[in-house]
Amino acid sequence: MIDHLSRAVISDPEQNLAIEQKESDNILPDSKITPLRFRKRTLHETKIRTNSTLTENVLSHKLQFDGRIISRNGRDACRELIGFFFTHDQSLTIYEYRQFGKNRTIVLPFIQKKIYSHQCGRRKGKQYRLGDFYVGATLTFLSCDHLSLPESIKENTLLKLRITNIDQIALDSLKTTSMEQKDDIISQETNDRLVFKAIQDLLKEKLHKRGVRILTELGKYFQQLDKEGNGLLDKADFKQALKVFHLEVSEKDFESAWLIMNDNGNGKVDYGEFKRNIIGEMNEYRKSFVRKAFMKLDFNKTGSVPIINIRKCYCAKKHSQVISGHSTEEEIVSWFLETLKVACSKSDEVSYGEFEDYYEGLSIGIVDDEDFVNILCAPWGI
């Protein structure tokens, strides 16, 4: 999240999101970090007079979460979001942090407070409920319903948000008073995850030693196949890609996975979603550091970073090969840049999606989260 939020302004008095002061400098979505309740937040206070009939007690029954946009657009992927789900009416609202200069940050409405429903998957058409909120969950919205969204987001039919952190204490408390009933969809979703996990476990062995090379090249390959530029490919494209990169899976497993992903029946699937489901992805703890590294490089917030800037910023002094004397700093920097360039659709710059693909591949071969974070942070000085 943001290091120092000295001033926050909300333009919607009805929802009345108050100022947040935060000392933590990372989004670390697991038990290793300070819980949300300790981050000096005073949120959705109701002590001022409004036209609403909602009471302070009712509004206190809310769940707070942090989120990010699932997007290959670097500017959108690095947007910092905070949301609230209100159990009294099953509504939710989401805000975005916007930083101006070094010290001033405001919080602006991103998704207006309203009751929303899932827009894809097994739960398409069903209203969001408490059980839909957990770290790693994906919330979907129709972009056309939110006219104030940035144009880059409205280009896509669906806006997909990933929950990166959640107030677990509040969630556990709300669950004890929740009257939600389990449904058949839960078992179906569990089976879906098992289908994907079986494929991911199979491919993990093939990716273990060459994950960086394959994922960077695969990302670029998908972009080349995407002639329309909408991020969607058909079944034949995906089968061809898996064959080219020697990542074949059985026909039965592929068809099972395809039926789950192609839930709208149009024969097209987003290739980012395909990669996340078939190959898997690093957890939100690791992703938070990838975004932090990219944001440090992308100081103009364009969503892309010139290769020349990456060369200037990348420091190989603490690389294990340099410390052991097996390689020089220049050799490590050159190797890194050459590998990264393989993923690039443009020879002189790296997009966020391409940057993330590199670290997705690196993540596959590193079991421990802290080892991964140390390897990622050392060259970027974060």
Side-chain angles (χ1 to χ4, degrees), residues 187-205:
S187 60
Q188 294 172 342
E189 290 171 334
T190 300
N191 290 334
D192 291 348
R193 286 192 290 270
L194 290 175
V195 168
F196 292 134
K197 188 177 185 306
I199 297 174
Q200 291 168 13
D201 289 345
L202 173 67
L203 296 183
K204 192 172 292 184
E205 293 299 318

Side-chain angles (χ1 to χ4, degrees), residues 70 72 222 231 238 269-277:
I70 298 178
R72 292 185 68 82
F222 281 147
F238 289 121
V269 169
D270 179 89
Y271 63 76
E273 181 182 353
F274 181 87
K275 281 176 58 180
R276 289 189 291 272
N277 287 327

Side-chain angles (χ1 to χ4, degrees), residues 52-68:
S52 173
T53 58
L54 298 178
T55 66
E56 183 175 354
N57 182 55
V58 170
L59 278 178
S60 69
H61 293 92
K62 66 181 182 298
L63 177 65
Q64 180 180 327
F65 58 91
D66 295 333
R68 64 179 176 86

Side-chain angles (χ1 to χ4, degrees), residues 52 103-104 165 169 246 248 310 323 357 362 373:
S52 173
N103 300 317
R104 186 168 183 264
N165 203 354
I169 300 298
H246 306 290
E248 297 96 331
I310 291 181
I323 294 174
D357 282 345
L362 183 66
V373 169

